[in-house]
Amino acid sequence: MTHPATFAQLDPPSRLLMGAGPTNVHPRILRAMSYDVIGQMDPEMTAYMDEVMALYREVFRTKNHWTLLVNGSARSAIEAALVSLVSPGMKVVIPRFGRFGLLLTEIVHRCGGIPCTVDVEWGQVVDPAAIEAAIIEHKPGLVACVHGDTSTTTAQPLEEIGRICRKHDVLFYVDATATLGGMTFETDAWNIDVATAGLQKCLNGPPGSAPITLSERAVAAILKRRHDEAGIATGQAQGDGPVIQSNYFDLAMLMNYWSPARMNHHTEATSMLYAARETARLVVEEGVEARVARHVRAGRAMVAGLRAMGLKVYGDDATRMSNVTGVWVPEGVDNARIRQLMRDDFGIEIVSSFGPLTGKIWRIGAMGINARKDKVLLTLAAFDSVLAGEGVKLNRGAGVDAARAAWDAV
Ligand SMILES: *Cc1c(COP(=O)(O)O)cnc(C)c1O
């Protein structure tokens, strides 16, 4: 290896990211990140923080005052939500239909909670009646659920689960990382108490900032875990009651930090806050509903194209995510080799999946600025060429034509 002093200036390849995230970043967001930092207590900065709160209330479709950012990738907000809500010994009902349900289980374990899982085969969704039965059986403090599980390209319908949680007075947490800004997501209307996301999926921002929103019920539950009023006021946990087992992810402290009192906690990741602010501004400018409609259209075109080629689309049409489509790898075809050719010959990234689906499906996303007609058609054209080149029998050219027709048929 050469001496570090000789390393070249960064010049990353230009790729069309049509995988399951990250997706290409909108140029306006990249520009927002290029500004110099300012101090976190600068009135300009605290004004930006207040704007971020207002902007993400629109994105999450909520009136929740406590709508803020956790510094880190989407997982940081998942962890903040769970470590702040789950006290040791608390039961948590977790519907599982893909990889990210396993992640929730693991984090609940680490928090000392007791996961009570409701499992279905990957690609299916969980029957709300099974969740209600689990609530009655286990009397949990929380139901924790993924909305769109990118590993299976499947979205769990949430509205009925939200109603059930409210009826039984159980808090409801949702990981909306993969769907926020790309599928309909209604925090308040669906009775969701805490929802978290990241920027790098349908929001076409960079990974590294994680929006979160908290209902008053959730806030009350978090503050209740801190026995001592003085502890709340100083942001220092005191008393001998249970405390949140993380400093960085203690949402009570983060709320103090984002409150007018600006109780110092971490140094806000300034450049990521600029990015998150511009990300939400783009969503609000386009309109949440218009943005969702654009993703639905892209997903429909992708599915139509893949089917017209003669490929088998993974999963169930009724619960398919609009922004990531799974497609079965035909018999005898090497999943990894196709992905490599897509990247080498066309600069396009598509991905495989995990666990029981490793190597069995490809996942092709159309998210954020890539949920566009030209990107979908380019990807299908490249896929057609690469698969045909590897000897897969296809209806050549039919995929692009069908996707064009599907896109225009609105
Ligand atoms: C992509 C994704 C995440 C990613 O978390 P990161 O920490 O940003 O990698 C979490 N949950 C779901 C459902 C996802 O699709």
Side-chain angles (χ1 to χ4, degrees), residues 183-202:
M183 286 185 72
T184 299
F185 187 83
E186 297 284 345
T187 302
D188 288 357
W190 293 351
N191 292 308
I192 294 165
D193 290 296
V194 181
T196 65
L199 303 188
Q200 76 270 26
K201 309 269 167 97
C202 300

PDB file of all heavy atoms in Angstrom, residues 183-202:
ATOM      1  N   MET A 183     -44.511   5.958   1.170  1.00  0.00           N
ATOM      2  CA  MET A 183     -45.807   5.296   1.300  1.00  0.00           C
ATOM      3  C   MET A 183     -46.635   6.115   2.287  1.00  0.00           C
ATOM      4  O   MET A 183     -46.085   6.851   3.103  1.00  0.00           O
ATOM      5  CB  MET A 183     -45.640   3.860   1.830  1.00  0.00           C
ATOM      6  CG  MET A 183     -45.073   2.894   0.786  1.00  0.00           C
ATOM      7  SD  MET A 183     -45.017   1.182   1.372  1.00  0.00           S
ATOM      8  CE  MET A 183     -46.767   0.745   1.368  1.00  0.00           C
ATOM      9  N   THR A 184     -47.943   5.960   2.218  1.00  0.00           N
ATOM     10  CA  THR A 184     -48.793   6.679   3.162  1.00  0.00           C
ATOM     11  C   THR A 184     -48.412   6.283   4.581  1.00  0.00           C
ATOM     12  O   THR A 184     -48.282   5.090   4.876  1.00  0.00           O
ATOM     13  CB  THR A 184     -50.276   6.330   2.894  1.00  0.00           C
ATOM     14  OG1 THR A 184     -50.577   6.758   1.563  1.00  0.00           O
ATOM     15  CG2 THR A 184     -51.195   7.027   3.877  1.00  0.00           C
ATOM     16  N   PHE A 185     -48.166   7.283   5.401  1.00  0.00           N
ATOM     17  CA  PHE A 185     -47.816   7.031   6.795  1.00  0.00           C
ATOM     18  C   PHE A 185     -48.458   8.116   7.631  1.00  0.00           C
ATOM     19  O   PHE A 185     -48.158   9.300   7.471  1.00  0.00           O
ATOM     20  CB  PHE A 185     -46.296   7.022   7.003  1.00  0.00           C
ATOM     21  CG  PHE A 185     -45.908   6.598   8.385  1.00  0.00           C
ATOM     22  CD1 PHE A 185     -45.822   5.251   8.709  1.00  0.00           C
ATOM     23  CD2 PHE A 185     -45.670   7.537   9.383  1.00  0.00           C
ATOM     24  CE1 PHE A 185     -45.496   4.844  10.004  1.00  0.00           C
ATOM     25  CE2 PHE A 185     -45.347   7.139  10.671  1.00  0.00           C
ATOM     26  CZ  PHE A 185     -45.265   5.794  10.981  1.00  0.00           C
ATOM     27  N   GLU A 186     -49.358   7.727   8.533  1.00  0.00           N
ATOM     28  CA  GLU A 186     -50.166   8.682   9.293  1.00  0.00           C
ATOM     29  C   GLU A 186     -49.939   8.459  10.786  1.00  0.00           C
ATOM     30  O   GLU A 186     -50.588   7.622  11.405  1.00  0.00           O
ATOM     31  CB  GLU A 186     -51.655   8.469   8.978  1.00  0.00           C
ATOM     32  CG  GLU A 186     -52.027   8.713   7.529  1.00  0.00           C
ATOM     33  CD  GLU A 186     -52.101  10.201   7.181  1.00  0.00           C
ATOM     34  OE1 GLU A 186     -52.145  11.036   8.109  1.00  0.00           O
ATOM     35  OE2 GLU A 186     -52.104  10.509   5.976  1.00  0.00           O
ATOM     36  N   THR A 187     -48.999   9.190  11.349  1.00  0.00           N
ATOM     37  CA  THR A 187     -48.681   8.997  12.762  1.00  0.00           C
ATOM     38  C   THR A 187     -49.917   9.180  13.646  1.00  0.00           C
ATOM     39  O   THR A 187     -50.254   8.298  14.452  1.00  0.00           O
ATOM     40  CB  THR A 187     -47.585   9.986  13.205  1.00  0.00           C
ATOM     41  OG1 THR A 187     -46.434   9.789  12.374  1.00  0.00           O
ATOM     42  CG2 THR A 187     -47.200   9.776  14.658  1.00  0.00           C
ATOM     43  N   ASP A 188     -50.584  10.305  13.507  1.00  0.00           N
ATOM     44  CA  ASP A 188     -51.699  10.601  14.414  1.00  0.00           C
ATOM     45  C   ASP A 188     -52.938   9.773  14.062  1.00  0.00           C
ATOM     46  O   ASP A 188     -53.554   9.172  14.954  1.00  0.00           O
ATOM     47  CB  ASP A 188     -52.040  12.095  14.374  1.00  0.00           C
ATOM     48  CG  ASP A 188     -50.964  12.943  15.059  1.00  0.00           C
ATOM     49  OD1 ASP A 188     -50.005  12.345  15.593  1.00  0.00           O
ATOM     50  OD2 ASP A 188     -51.085  14.177  15.046  1.00  0.00           O
ATOM     51  N   ALA A 189     -53.284   9.735  12.795  1.00  0.00           N
ATOM     52  CA  ALA A 189     -54.520   9.044  12.404  1.00  0.00           C
ATOM     53  C   ALA A 189     -54.436   7.545  12.706  1.00  0.00           C
ATOM     54  O   ALA A 189     -55.460   6.896  12.916  1.00  0.00           O
ATOM     55  CB  ALA A 189     -54.796   9.267  10.920  1.00  0.00           C
ATOM     56  N   TRP A 190     -53.239   7.007  12.726  1.00  0.00           N
ATOM     57  CA  TRP A 190     -53.076   5.566  12.991  1.00  0.00           C
ATOM     58  C   TRP A 190     -52.716   5.281  14.458  1.00  0.00           C
ATOM     59  O   TRP A 190     -52.320   4.166  14.804  1.00  0.00           O
ATOM     60  CB  TRP A 190     -51.999   4.968  12.074  1.00  0.00           C
ATOM     61  CG  TRP A 190     -52.381   4.968  10.623  1.00  0.00           C
ATOM     62  CD1 TRP A 190     -53.603   5.273  10.078  1.00  0.00           C
ATOM     63  CD2 TRP A 190     -51.524   4.645   9.512  1.00  0.00           C
ATOM     64  NE1 TRP A 190     -53.556   5.168   8.712  1.00  0.00           N
ATOM     65  CE2 TRP A 190     -52.299   4.783   8.330  1.00  0.00           C
ATOM     66  CE3 TRP A 190     -50.182   4.260   9.395  1.00  0.00           C
ATOM     67  CZ2 TRP A 190     -51.764   4.544   7.055  1.00  0.00           C
ATOM     68  CZ3 TRP A 190     -49.657   4.012   8.136  1.00  0.00           C
ATOM     69  CH2 TRP A 190     -50.444   4.150   6.974  1.00  0.00           C
ATOM     70  N   ASN A 191     -52.824   6.288  15.319  1.00  0.00           N
ATOM     71  CA  ASN A 191     -52.571   6.096  16.757  1.00  0.00           C
ATOM     72  C   ASN A 191     -51.169   5.568  17.055  1.00  0.00           C
ATOM     73  O   ASN A 191     -50.975   4.726  17.945  1.00  0.00           O
ATOM     74  CB  ASN A 191     -53.599   5.134  17.369  1.00  0.00           C
ATOM     75  CG  ASN A 191     -54.986   5.744  17.390  1.00  0.00           C
ATOM     76  OD1 ASN A 191     -55.168   6.856  17.875  1.00  0.00           O
ATOM     77  ND2 ASN A 191     -55.947   5.039  16.830  1.00  0.00           N
ATOM     78  N   ILE A 192     -50.199   6.064  16.316  1.00  0.00           N
ATOM     79  CA  ILE A 192     -48.811   5.650  16.557  1.00  0.00           C
ATOM     80  C   ILE A 192     -48.203   6.593  17.591  1.00  0.00           C
ATOM     81  O   ILE A 192     -48.279   7.813  17.439  1.00  0.00           O
ATOM     82  CB  ILE A 192     -48.022   5.658  15.232  1.00  0.00           C
ATOM     83  CG1 ILE A 192     -48.589   4.581  14.294  1.00  0.00           C
ATOM     84  CG2 ILE A 192     -46.530   5.458  15.476  1.00  0.00           C
ATOM     85  CD1 ILE A 192     -48.148   4.714  12.858  1.00  0.00           C
ATOM     86  N   ASP A 193     -47.619   6.032  18.641  1.00  0.00           N
ATOM     87  CA  ASP A 193     -47.070   6.868  19.717  1.00  0.00           C
ATOM     88  C   ASP A 193     -45.655   7.330  19.433  1.00  0.00           C
ATOM     89  O   ASP A 193     -45.285   8.443  19.789  1.00  0.00           O
ATOM     90  CB  ASP A 193     -47.113   6.107  21.050  1.00  0.00           C
ATOM     91  CG  ASP A 193     -48.538   5.940  21.526  1.00  0.00           C
ATOM     92  OD1 ASP A 193     -49.178   6.963  21.809  1.00  0.00           O
ATOM     93  OD2 ASP A 193     -49.037   4.794  21.561  1.00  0.00           O
ATOM     94  N   VAL A 194     -44.863   6.454  18.853  1.00  0.00           N
ATOM     95  CA  VAL A 194     -43.494   6.834  18.504  1.00  0.00           C
ATOM     96  C   VAL A 194     -43.200   6.269  17.121  1.00  0.00           C
ATOM     97  O   VAL A 194     -43.457   5.089  16.854  1.00  0.00           O
ATOM     98  CB  VAL A 194     -42.464   6.275  19.513  1.00  0.00           C
ATOM     99  CG1 VAL A 194     -41.050   6.717  19.125  1.00  0.00           C
ATOM    100  CG2 VAL A 194     -42.781   6.721  20.935  1.00  0.00           C
ATOM    101  N   ALA A 195     -42.690   7.117  16.254  1.00  0.00           N
ATOM    102  CA  ALA A 195     -42.259   6.649  14.934  1.00  0.00           C
ATOM    103  C   ALA A 195     -40.864   7.181  14.674  1.00  0.00           C
ATOM    104  O   ALA A 195     -40.530   8.289  15.089  1.00  0.00           O
ATOM    105  CB  ALA A 195     -43.221   7.137  13.848  1.00  0.00           C
ATOM    106  N   THR A 196     -40.054   6.370  14.012  1.00  0.00           N
ATOM    107  CA  THR A 196     -38.690   6.783  13.698  1.00  0.00           C
ATOM    108  C   THR A 196     -38.391   6.506  12.231  1.00  0.00           C
ATOM    109  O   THR A 196     -39.044   5.688  11.590  1.00  0.00           O
ATOM    110  CB  THR A 196     -37.652   6.024  14.551  1.00  0.00           C
ATOM    111  OG1 THR A 196     -37.691   4.626  14.213  1.00  0.00           O
ATOM    112  CG2 THR A 196     -37.898   6.192  16.044  1.00  0.00           C
ATOM    113  N   ALA A 197     -37.375   7.197  11.726  1.00  0.00           N
ATOM    114  CA  ALA A 197     -37.001   7.017  10.321  1.00  0.00           C
ATOM    115  C   ALA A 197     -35.527   7.325  10.141  1.00  0.00           C
ATOM    116  O   ALA A 197     -34.791   7.522  11.110  1.00  0.00           O
ATOM    117  CB  ALA A 197     -37.863   7.921   9.440  1.00  0.00           C
ATOM    118  N   GLY A 198     -35.113   7.328   8.894  1.00  0.00           N
ATOM    119  CA  GLY A 198     -33.763   7.742   8.517  1.00  0.00           C
ATOM    120  C   GLY A 198     -33.937   8.571   7.261  1.00  0.00           C
ATOM    121  O   GLY A 198     -35.055   8.710   6.773  1.00  0.00           O
ATOM    122  N   LEU A 199     -32.854   9.115   6.735  1.00  0.00           N
ATOM    123  CA  LEU A 199     -33.010   9.986   5.562  1.00  0.00           C
ATOM    124  C   LEU A 199     -32.760   9.262   4.246  1.00  0.00           C
ATOM    125  O   LEU A 199     -33.119   9.754   3.188  1.00  0.00           O
ATOM    126  CB  LEU A 199     -32.030  11.167   5.648  1.00  0.00           C
ATOM    127  CG  LEU A 199     -32.080  12.075   6.881  1.00  0.00           C
ATOM    128  CD1 LEU A 199     -31.161  13.276   6.671  1.00  0.00           C
ATOM    129  CD2 LEU A 199     -33.491  12.525   7.189  1.00  0.00           C
ATOM    130  N   GLN A 200     -32.111   8.073   4.295  1.00  0.00           N
ATOM    131  CA  GLN A 200     -31.500   7.550   3.068  1.00  0.00           C
ATOM    132  C   GLN A 200     -32.402   6.660   2.222  1.00  0.00           C
ATOM    133  O   GLN A 200     -31.927   6.020   1.299  1.00  0.00           O
ATOM    134  CB  GLN A 200     -30.217   6.800   3.418  1.00  0.00           C
ATOM    135  CG  GLN A 200     -30.391   5.411   4.020  1.00  0.00           C
ATOM    136  CD  GLN A 200     -30.472   5.417   5.537  1.00  0.00           C
ATOM    137  OE1 GLN A 200     -30.863   6.398   6.131  1.00  0.00           O
ATOM    138  NE2 GLN A 200     -30.114   4.321   6.172  1.00  0.00           N
ATOM    139  N   LYS A 201     -33.693   6.614   2.556  1.00  0.00           N
ATOM    140  CA  LYS A 201     -34.583   5.802   1.713  1.00  0.00           C
ATOM    141  C   LYS A 201     -35.432   6.753   0.854  1.00  0.00           C
ATOM    142  O   LYS A 201     -34.888   7.434   0.027  1.00  0.00           O
ATOM    143  CB  LYS A 201     -35.427   4.879   2.584  1.00  0.00           C
ATOM    144  CG  LYS A 201     -34.598   4.049   3.586  1.00  0.00           C
ATOM    145  CD  LYS A 201     -34.158   2.696   3.049  1.00  0.00           C
ATOM    146  CE  LYS A 201     -33.105   2.053   3.923  1.00  0.00           C
ATOM    147  NZ  LYS A 201     -33.620   1.087   4.882  1.00  0.00           N
ATOM    148  N   CYS A 202     -36.739   6.792   1.098  1.00  0.00           N
ATOM    149  CA  CYS A 202     -37.604   7.609   0.232  1.00  0.00           C
ATOM    150  C   CYS A 202     -37.356   9.106   0.388  1.00  0.00           C
ATOM    151  O   CYS A 202     -37.813   9.894  -0.426  1.00  0.00           O
ATOM    152  CB  CYS A 202     -39.070   7.301   0.510  1.00  0.00           C
ATOM    153  SG  CYS A 202     -39.481   5.578   0.220  1.00  0.00           S
TER     154      CYS A 202
END
